[in-house]
Amino acid sequence: MITMKNKVLLVGGGGREDAIARKILSSGAELYSVMKNRNPSIFSVSRKAFIHDELDVDSILKFALESGVDLAFVGPDPVLNTKLVDRLEEEGIRVASPSYEAARLETSKEFMRKFVERNSIPGNIEFKVITEQSEIAGLLEKSGKEYAIKPIGLTGGKGVRVMGVQLHTKEEAVSYAASVIEKDGAVILEERIQGEEFSLQVLSDGTNIAPFPIVQDFKRAYENDEGPNTGGMGAISDSNGGLPFIKQTVAEEALEIIRRIVFHMKDEGNPFKGVIYGQFMQVGDSPKIVEINARFADPEGISVLTLLEDDFVELMNEIVEGKLRASMKFREKASVLKYVVPEGYGSNPTPGDLEISTDPEPDDFRVYYAAVSGTLNNVKMSTSRALALVGLADTIPEASARVEENLWRIRGNYYMRHDIGTEEMLRRKKENVS
Ligand code: GLY
């Protein structure tokens, strides 16, 4: 049991990292942060902040050693695609995030699909990795199926194009797949599946896992799930840890899939420690794997961290020591998160300034700061997501209303999806699955 006050390094400066930073602070630890933007909230709670390129491993290592940190956590996926975690560990710093090799579950879609396949883990979908542009048209012709066409590596949520959604003809599909091969040398085609998606995030110490409540993310920019895909416009979770339109057996099977992934990662010599975020789709009575990620989701990670009652730094220590508890405690509340973004977000964003009230937040509402600069009261938006507003209540529609009731706290020109978590939205979703 570690009793001394941890000095914790946190890499990343988005809304997700603001939620992590506040949990680290409320655990009584000292925070040392590295972020490419000067997030005013993370900055305000950091003992020391290093505003710097998050992919510059040597400089971050130097900052960590000079600051004397003893524990570290990495937020964003591009950082997990560097050797930062491995280098910190080589220097004797304990890290509650996955190694470069373990993070390949997210950083290579080819690795993930083949790993799931060779270990006979359920939930996989038909996929093909193609390296020759000349093969694409023939494959589409022969199979007659629709595919999601994806780069193999990280895409920031923006490289995936689905036939029948963003790709309207076979020619468009061939041309997009060919352009990915030209850029990356390979492309992955995954069978198109349809259904309600959900995100299941768990902590893993390499052997044991502890799940968070399941959450649904809203990727489309406009209301009624229309418009371009974004990093995520909001999220909902329910007070019982499930979702009203996801069958409990499907959520349980998804957890079993993650349990088996953790088992086989260790078995193959790459134990996974940190957060696994499985993005699943409910297809009939089964969960299908859409993606496996090696970090907290954004925004879903913000939702579950807001609900988490346990001490996050204790959990980080348990991950490092391989002694993770079997379950975590959460407030038994529904949550609805809505992102404040610049007007035109998703196509042609026009970022302005926002004024944020300093009145104390009630117990059932939080404001997290994302890609903004400035102060806690006055922020300048960038072209990305600005503020994550989270409402908590007994039901999802009430939590959605909680966000709306608190909008007076934010002044300025911005866009937000108001439909997230409304009664009408839930009714539509329940009808779709029945
Ligand atoms: N919720 C989308 C992501 O974090 O990748």
Side-chain angles (χ1 to χ4, degrees), residues 16 77 106 156-157 199 217-219 230-232 234 277 279 291 293 295-301 385:
R16 168 185 51 201
D77 36 307
E106 171 163 11
S199 302
D217 172 27
F218 292 82
K219 292 198 174 59
T230 67
Y277 144 39
Q279 200 187 326
E291 277 177 8
N293 298 300
R295 57 181 167 87
F296 274 122
D298 190 346
E300 304 96 299
R385 296 175 291 185

Side-chain angles (χ1 to χ4, degrees), residues 10 16-17 19-20 23 73-77 80 96-98 106 201-203 212 272 274-277 293-305 308 312 315-316 319 328 330:
L10 173 65
R16 168 185 51 201
E17 287 77 26
I20 300 167
K23 294 303 287 183
F73 193 88
V74 173
D77 36 307
L80 295 170
S97 295
E106 171 163 11
Q201 301 163 92
V202 310
L203 296 183
F212 289 95
F272 187 102
V275 182
I276 296 194
Y277 144 39
N293 298 300
R295 57 181 167 87
F296 274 122
D298 190 346
E300 304 96 299
I302 303 175
S303 310
V304 296
L305 285 164
L308 178 68
F312 189 66
L315 290 166
M316 285 173 70
I319 289 172
M328 295 181 277
F330 300 96

